[in-house]
mmCIF file with all atom_site columns, all heavy atoms in Angstrom:
data_model
loop_
_atom_site.group_PDB
_atom_site.id
_atom_site.type_symbol
_atom_site.label_atom_id
_atom_site.label_alt_id
_atom_site.label_comp_id
_atom_site.label_asym_id
_atom_site.label_entity_id
_atom_site.label_seq_id
_atom_site.pdbx_PDB_ins_code
_atom_site.Cartn_x
_atom_site.Cartn_y
_atom_site.Cartn_z
_atom_site.occupancy
_atom_site.B_iso_or_equiv
_atom_site.pdbx_formal_charge
_atom_site.auth_seq_id
_atom_site.auth_comp_id
_atom_site.auth_asym_id
_atom_site.auth_atom_id
_atom_site.pdbx_PDB_model_num
ATOM 1   N N   . TRP A 1 50 ? -37.248 250.390 106.874 1.00 0.00 ? 73 TRP A N   1
ATOM 2   C CA  . TRP A 1 50 ? -35.934 250.831 107.129 1.00 0.00 ? 73 TRP A CA  1
ATOM 3   C C   . TRP A 1 50 ? -35.466 251.830 106.020 1.00 0.00 ? 73 TRP A C   1
ATOM 4   O O   . TRP A 1 50 ? -35.904 251.732 104.913 1.00 0.00 ? 73 TRP A O   1
ATOM 5   C CB  . TRP A 1 50 ? -34.916 249.765 107.221 1.00 0.00 ? 73 TRP A CB  1
ATOM 6   C CG  . TRP A 1 50 ? -34.817 248.784 106.125 1.00 0.00 ? 73 TRP A CG  1
ATOM 7   C CD1 . TRP A 1 50 ? -35.739 247.746 105.831 1.00 0.00 ? 73 TRP A CD1 1
ATOM 8   C CD2 . TRP A 1 50 ? -33.887 248.777 105.061 1.00 0.00 ? 73 TRP A CD2 1
ATOM 9   N NE1 . TRP A 1 50 ? -35.360 247.084 104.651 1.00 0.00 ? 73 TRP A NE1 1
ATOM 10  C CE2 . TRP A 1 50 ? -34.240 247.661 104.202 1.00 0.00 ? 73 TRP A CE2 1
ATOM 11  C CE3 . TRP A 1 50 ? -32.702 249.508 104.785 1.00 0.00 ? 73 TRP A CE3 1
ATOM 12  C CZ2 . TRP A 1 50 ? -33.489 247.432 103.017 1.00 0.00 ? 73 TRP A CZ2 1
ATOM 13  C CZ3 . TRP A 1 50 ? -31.962 249.278 103.586 1.00 0.00 ? 73 TRP A CZ3 1
ATOM 14  C CH2 . TRP A 1 50 ? -32.363 248.152 102.763 1.00 0.00 ? 73 TRP A CH2 1
ATOM 15  N N   . HIS A 1 51 ? -34.513 252.710 106.347 1.00 0.00 ? 74 HIS A N   1
ATOM 16  C CA  . HIS A 1 51 ? -34.007 253.768 105.461 1.00 0.00 ? 74 HIS A CA  1
ATOM 17  C C   . HIS A 1 51 ? -32.561 253.902 105.752 1.00 0.00 ? 74 HIS A C   1
ATOM 18  O O   . HIS A 1 51 ? -32.025 253.662 106.846 1.00 0.00 ? 74 HIS A O   1
ATOM 19  C CB  . HIS A 1 51 ? -34.714 255.042 105.611 1.00 0.00 ? 74 HIS A CB  1
ATOM 20  C CG  . HIS A 1 51 ? -36.208 254.926 105.501 1.00 0.00 ? 74 HIS A CG  1
ATOM 21  N ND1 . HIS A 1 51 ? -36.879 254.761 104.257 1.00 0.00 ? 74 HIS A ND1 1
ATOM 22  C CD2 . HIS A 1 51 ? -37.231 254.871 106.407 1.00 0.00 ? 74 HIS A CD2 1
ATOM 23  C CE1 . HIS A 1 51 ? -38.097 254.679 104.452 1.00 0.00 ? 74 HIS A CE1 1
ATOM 24  N NE2 . HIS A 1 51 ? -38.360 254.694 105.756 1.00 0.00 ? 74 HIS A NE2 1
ATOM 25  N N   . LEU A 1 52 ? -31.789 254.307 104.710 1.00 0.00 ? 75 LEU A N   1
ATOM 26  C CA  . LEU A 1 52 ? -30.334 254.434 104.783 1.00 0.00 ? 75 LEU A CA  1
ATOM 27  C C   . LEU A 1 52 ? -30.015 255.891 104.794 1.00 0.00 ? 75 LEU A C   1
ATOM 28  O O   . LEU A 1 52 ? -30.551 256.699 104.039 1.00 0.00 ? 75 LEU A O   1
ATOM 29  C CB  . LEU A 1 52 ? -29.608 253.662 103.635 1.00 0.00 ? 75 LEU A CB  1
ATOM 30  C CG  . LEU A 1 52 ? -29.757 252.189 103.644 1.00 0.00 ? 75 LEU A CG  1
ATOM 31  C CD1 . LEU A 1 52 ? -29.042 251.621 102.385 1.00 0.00 ? 75 LEU A CD1 1
ATOM 32  C CD2 . LEU A 1 52 ? -29.179 251.584 104.937 1.00 0.00 ? 75 LEU A CD2 1
ATOM 33  N N   . ALA A 1 53 ? -28.979 256.297 105.486 1.00 0.00 ? 76 ALA A N   1
ATOM 34  C CA  . ALA A 1 53 ? -28.364 257.615 105.485 1.00 0.00 ? 76 ALA A CA  1
ATOM 35  C C   . ALA A 1 53 ? -27.022 257.648 106.178 1.00 0.00 ? 76 ALA A C   1
ATOM 36  O O   . ALA A 1 53 ? -26.986 257.182 107.304 1.00 0.00 ? 76 ALA A O   1
ATOM 37  C CB  . ALA A 1 53 ? -29.295 258.668 106.096 1.00 0.00 ? 76 ALA A CB  1
ATOM 38  N N   . ASP A 1 54 ? -26.007 258.080 105.494 1.00 0.00 ? 77 ASP A N   1
ATOM 39  C CA  . ASP A 1 54 ? -24.681 258.223 106.086 1.00 0.00 ? 77 ASP A CA  1
ATOM 40  C C   . ASP A 1 54 ? -24.612 259.674 106.547 1.00 0.00 ? 77 ASP A C   1
ATOM 41  O O   . ASP A 1 54 ? -24.603 260.625 105.753 1.00 0.00 ? 77 ASP A O   1
ATOM 42  C CB  . ASP A 1 54 ? -23.629 257.962 104.972 1.00 0.00 ? 77 ASP A CB  1
ATOM 43  C CG  . ASP A 1 54 ? -22.239 257.990 105.569 1.00 0.00 ? 77 ASP A CG  1
ATOM 44  O OD1 . ASP A 1 54 ? -22.006 258.591 106.614 1.00 0.00 ? 77 ASP A OD1 1
ATOM 45  O OD2 . ASP A 1 54 ? -21.311 257.398 104.919 1.00 0.00 ? 77 ASP A OD2 1
ATOM 46  N N   . PHE A 1 55 ? -24.457 259.888 107.853 1.00 0.00 ? 78 PHE A N   1
ATOM 47  C CA  . PHE A 1 55 ? -24.512 261.217 108.430 1.00 0.00 ? 78 PHE A CA  1
ATOM 48  C C   . PHE A 1 55 ? -23.208 261.999 108.107 1.00 0.00 ? 78 PHE A C   1
ATOM 49  O O   . PHE A 1 55 ? -23.200 263.147 108.481 1.00 0.00 ? 78 PHE A O   1
ATOM 50  C CB  . PHE A 1 55 ? -24.844 261.128 109.919 1.00 0.00 ? 78 PHE A CB  1
ATOM 51  C CG  . PHE A 1 55 ? -26.205 261.080 110.252 1.00 0.00 ? 78 PHE A CG  1
ATOM 52  C CD1 . PHE A 1 55 ? -27.160 260.619 109.282 1.00 0.00 ? 78 PHE A CD1 1
ATOM 53  C CD2 . PHE A 1 55 ? -26.777 261.377 111.473 1.00 0.00 ? 78 PHE A CD2 1
ATOM 54  C CE1 . PHE A 1 55 ? -28.510 260.504 109.565 1.00 0.00 ? 78 PHE A CE1 1
ATOM 55  C CE2 . PHE A 1 55 ? -28.072 261.349 111.714 1.00 0.00 ? 78 PHE A CE2 1
ATOM 56  C CZ  . PHE A 1 55 ? -29.005 260.837 110.813 1.00 0.00 ? 78 PHE A CZ  1
ATOM 57  N N   . SER A 1 56 ? -22.269 261.333 107.532 1.00 0.00 ? 79 SER A N   1
ATOM 58  C CA  . SER A 1 56 ? -21.061 262.118 107.128 1.00 0.00 ? 79 SER A CA  1
ATOM 59  C C   . SER A 1 56 ? -21.383 262.799 105.777 1.00 0.00 ? 79 SER A C   1
ATOM 60  O O   . SER A 1 56 ? -20.444 263.522 105.192 1.00 0.00 ? 79 SER A O   1
ATOM 61  C CB  . SER A 1 56 ? -19.871 261.246 107.059 1.00 0.00 ? 79 SER A CB  1
ATOM 62  O OG  . SER A 1 56 ? -20.034 260.241 105.965 1.00 0.00 ? 79 SER A OG  1
ATOM 63  N N   . ASP A 1 57 ? -22.510 262.673 105.211 1.00 0.00 ? 80 ASP A N   1
ATOM 64  C CA  . ASP A 1 57 ? -22.875 263.257 103.924 1.00 0.00 ? 80 ASP A CA  1
ATOM 65  C C   . ASP A 1 57 ? -24.275 263.923 104.148 1.00 0.00 ? 80 ASP A C   1
ATOM 66  O O   . ASP A 1 57 ? -25.278 263.247 104.241 1.00 0.00 ? 80 ASP A O   1
ATOM 67  C CB  . ASP A 1 57 ? -23.004 262.204 102.861 1.00 0.00 ? 80 ASP A CB  1
ATOM 68  C CG  . ASP A 1 57 ? -23.265 262.804 101.479 1.00 0.00 ? 80 ASP A CG  1
ATOM 69  O OD1 . ASP A 1 57 ? -23.658 263.932 101.427 1.00 0.00 ? 80 ASP A OD1 1
ATOM 70  O OD2 . ASP A 1 57 ? -23.143 262.013 100.449 1.00 0.00 ? 80 ASP A OD2 1
ATOM 71  N N   . LEU A 1 58 ? -24.255 265.290 104.195 1.00 0.00 ? 81 LEU A N   1
ATOM 72  C CA  . LEU A 1 58 ? -25.560 265.924 104.524 1.00 0.00 ? 81 LEU A CA  1
ATOM 73  C C   . LEU A 1 58 ? -26.563 265.829 103.400 1.00 0.00 ? 81 LEU A C   1
ATOM 74  O O   . LEU A 1 58 ? -27.720 265.962 103.606 1.00 0.00 ? 81 LEU A O   1
ATOM 75  C CB  . LEU A 1 58 ? -25.179 267.433 104.859 1.00 0.00 ? 81 LEU A CB  1
ATOM 76  C CG  . LEU A 1 58 ? -24.425 267.686 106.072 1.00 0.00 ? 81 LEU A CG  1
ATOM 77  C CD1 . LEU A 1 58 ? -24.201 269.124 106.392 1.00 0.00 ? 81 LEU A CD1 1
ATOM 78  C CD2 . LEU A 1 58 ? -25.048 266.970 107.323 1.00 0.00 ? 81 LEU A CD2 1
ATOM 79  N N   . ALA A 1 59 ? -26.071 265.569 102.177 1.00 0.00 ? 82 ALA A N   1
ATOM 80  C CA  . ALA A 1 59 ? -27.037 265.329 101.090 1.00 0.00 ? 82 ALA A CA  1
ATOM 81  C C   . ALA A 1 59 ? -27.910 264.109 101.396 1.00 0.00 ? 82 ALA A C   1
ATOM 82  O O   . ALA A 1 59 ? -29.122 264.074 101.069 1.00 0.00 ? 82 ALA A O   1
ATOM 83  C CB  . ALA A 1 59 ? -26.374 265.114 99.711  1.00 0.00 ? 82 ALA A CB  1
ATOM 84  N N   . GLU A 1 60 ? -27.284 263.105 102.034 1.00 0.00 ? 83 GLU A N   1
ATOM 85  C CA  . GLU A 1 60 ? -28.038 261.925 102.436 1.00 0.00 ? 83 GLU A CA  1
ATOM 86  C C   . GLU A 1 60 ? -29.028 262.189 103.551 1.00 0.00 ? 83 GLU A C   1
ATOM 87  O O   . GLU A 1 60 ? -30.187 261.568 103.662 1.00 0.00 ? 83 GLU A O   1
ATOM 88  C CB  . GLU A 1 60 ? -27.129 260.763 102.788 1.00 0.00 ? 83 GLU A CB  1
ATOM 89  C CG  . GLU A 1 60 ? -26.317 260.253 101.540 1.00 0.00 ? 83 GLU A CG  1
ATOM 90  C CD  . GLU A 1 60 ? -25.717 258.920 101.868 1.00 0.00 ? 83 GLU A CD  1
ATOM 91  O OE1 . GLU A 1 60 ? -26.135 258.205 102.816 1.00 0.00 ? 83 GLU A OE1 1
ATOM 92  O OE2 . GLU A 1 60 ? -24.726 258.608 101.074 1.00 0.00 ? 83 GLU A OE2 1
ATOM 93  N N   . VAL A 1 61 ? -28.607 263.121 104.470 1.00 0.00 ? 84 VAL A N   1
ATOM 94  C CA  . VAL A 1 61 ? -29.551 263.516 105.485 1.00 0.00 ? 84 VAL A CA  1
ATOM 95  C C   . VAL A 1 61 ? -30.776 264.258 104.911 1.00 0.00 ? 84 VAL A C   1
ATOM 96  O O   . VAL A 1 61 ? -31.918 264.068 105.329 1.00 0.00 ? 84 VAL A O   1
ATOM 97  C CB  . VAL A 1 61 ? -28.775 264.391 106.563 1.00 0.00 ? 84 VAL A CB  1
ATOM 98  C CG1 . VAL A 1 61 ? -29.758 264.921 107.627 1.00 0.00 ? 84 VAL A CG1 1
ATOM 99  C CG2 . VAL A 1 61 ? -27.634 263.650 107.165 1.00 0.00 ? 84 VAL A CG2 1
ATOM 100 N N   . ARG A 1 62 ? -30.572 265.089 104.012 1.00 0.00 ? 85 ARG A N   1
ATOM 101 C CA  . ARG A 1 62 ? -31.630 265.835 103.362 1.00 0.00 ? 85 ARG A CA  1
ATOM 102 C C   . ARG A 1 62 ? -32.551 264.915 102.540 1.00 0.00 ? 85 ARG A C   1
ATOM 103 O O   . ARG A 1 62 ? -33.834 264.965 102.648 1.00 0.00 ? 85 ARG A O   1
ATOM 104 C CB  . ARG A 1 62 ? -31.059 266.959 102.387 1.00 0.00 ? 85 ARG A CB  1
ATOM 105 C CG  . ARG A 1 62 ? -30.359 268.001 103.077 1.00 0.00 ? 85 ARG A CG  1
ATOM 106 C CD  . ARG A 1 62 ? -29.983 269.152 102.143 1.00 0.00 ? 85 ARG A CD  1
ATOM 107 N NE  . ARG A 1 62 ? -29.378 270.280 102.899 1.00 0.00 ? 85 ARG A NE  1
ATOM 108 C CZ  . ARG A 1 62 ? -28.139 270.498 103.142 1.00 0.00 ? 85 ARG A CZ  1
ATOM 109 N NH1 . ARG A 1 62 ? -27.262 269.564 102.768 1.00 0.00 ? 85 ARG A NH1 1
ATOM 110 N NH2 . ARG A 1 62 ? -27.735 271.472 103.813 1.00 0.00 ? 85 ARG A NH2 1
ATOM 111 N N   . ALA A 1 63 ? -31.897 263.863 101.953 1.00 0.00 ? 86 ALA A N   1
ATOM 112 C CA  . ALA A 1 63 ? -32.739 262.902 101.219 1.00 0.00 ? 86 ALA A CA  1
ATOM 113 C C   . ALA A 1 63 ? -33.562 262.074 102.183 1.00 0.00 ? 86 ALA A C   1
ATOM 114 O O   . ALA A 1 63 ? -34.754 261.708 101.986 1.00 0.00 ? 86 ALA A O   1
ATOM 115 C CB  . ALA A 1 63 ? -31.893 261.993 100.347 1.00 0.00 ? 86 ALA A CB  1
ATOM 116 N N   . LEU A 1 64 ? -33.017 261.752 103.360 1.00 0.00 ? 87 LEU A N   1
ATOM 117 C CA  . LEU A 1 64 ? -33.666 260.972 104.339 1.00 0.00 ? 87 LEU A CA  1
ATOM 118 C C   . LEU A 1 64 ? -34.877 261.816 104.881 1.00 0.00 ? 87 LEU A C   1
ATOM 119 O O   . LEU A 1 64 ? -35.959 261.233 105.066 1.00 0.00 ? 87 LEU A O   1
ATOM 120 C CB  . LEU A 1 64 ? -32.800 260.636 105.578 1.00 0.00 ? 87 LEU A CB  1
ATOM 121 C CG  . LEU A 1 64 ? -33.375 260.033 106.784 1.00 0.00 ? 87 LEU A CG  1
ATOM 122 C CD1 . LEU A 1 64 ? -34.006 258.707 106.511 1.00 0.00 ? 87 LEU A CD1 1
ATOM 123 C CD2 . LEU A 1 64 ? -32.342 259.975 107.961 1.00 0.00 ? 87 LEU A CD2 1
ATOM 124 N N   . ALA A 1 65 ? -34.681 263.053 105.119 1.00 0.00 ? 88 ALA A N   1
ATOM 125 C CA  . ALA A 1 65 ? -35.840 263.865 105.585 1.00 0.00 ? 88 ALA A CA  1
ATOM 126 C C   . ALA A 1 65 ? -36.885 263.897 104.591 1.00 0.00 ? 88 ALA A C   1
ATOM 127 O O   . ALA A 1 65 ? -38.180 263.828 104.974 1.00 0.00 ? 88 ALA A O   1
ATOM 128 C CB  . ALA A 1 65 ? -35.351 265.283 105.826 1.00 0.00 ? 88 ALA A CB  1
ATOM 129 N N   . ASP A 1 66 ? -36.658 263.994 103.334 1.00 0.00 ? 89 ASP A N   1
ATOM 130 C CA  . ASP A 1 66 ? -37.667 263.989 102.242 1.00 0.00 ? 89 ASP A CA  1
ATOM 131 C C   . ASP A 1 66 ? -38.466 262.695 102.330 1.00 0.00 ? 89 ASP A C   1
ATOM 132 O O   . ASP A 1 66 ? -39.740 262.662 102.245 1.00 0.00 ? 89 ASP A O   1
ATOM 133 C CB  . ASP A 1 66 ? -37.034 264.122 100.882 1.00 0.00 ? 89 ASP A CB  1
ATOM 134 C CG  . ASP A 1 66 ? -36.441 265.512 100.577 1.00 0.00 ? 89 ASP A CG  1
ATOM 135 O OD1 . ASP A 1 66 ? -36.880 266.442 101.369 1.00 0.00 ? 89 ASP A OD1 1
ATOM 136 O OD2 . ASP A 1 66 ? -35.576 265.674 99.711  1.00 0.00 ? 89 ASP A OD2 1
ATOM 137 N N   . VAL A 1 67 ? -37.753 261.563 102.494 1.00 0.00 ? 90 VAL A N   1
ATOM 138 C CA  . VAL A 1 67 ? -38.471 260.225 102.497 1.00 0.00 ? 90 VAL A CA  1
ATOM 139 C C   . VAL A 1 67 ? -39.247 260.087 103.755 1.00 0.00 ? 90 VAL A C   1
ATOM 140 O O   . VAL A 1 67 ? -40.398 259.634 103.665 1.00 0.00 ? 90 VAL A O   1
ATOM 141 C CB  . VAL A 1 67 ? -37.379 259.108 102.460 1.00 0.00 ? 90 VAL A CB  1
ATOM 142 C CG1 . VAL A 1 67 ? -38.075 257.797 102.743 1.00 0.00 ? 90 VAL A CG1 1
ATOM 143 C CG2 . VAL A 1 67 ? -36.676 259.099 101.120 1.00 0.00 ? 90 VAL A CG2 1
#
Side-chain angles (χ1 to χ4, degrees):
W73 57 280
H74 305 283
L75 296 177
D77 184 341
F78 276 21
S79 68
D80 184 345
L81 294 183
E83 294 196 16
V84 176
R85 292 185 174 91
L87 172 65
D89 289 342
V90 170

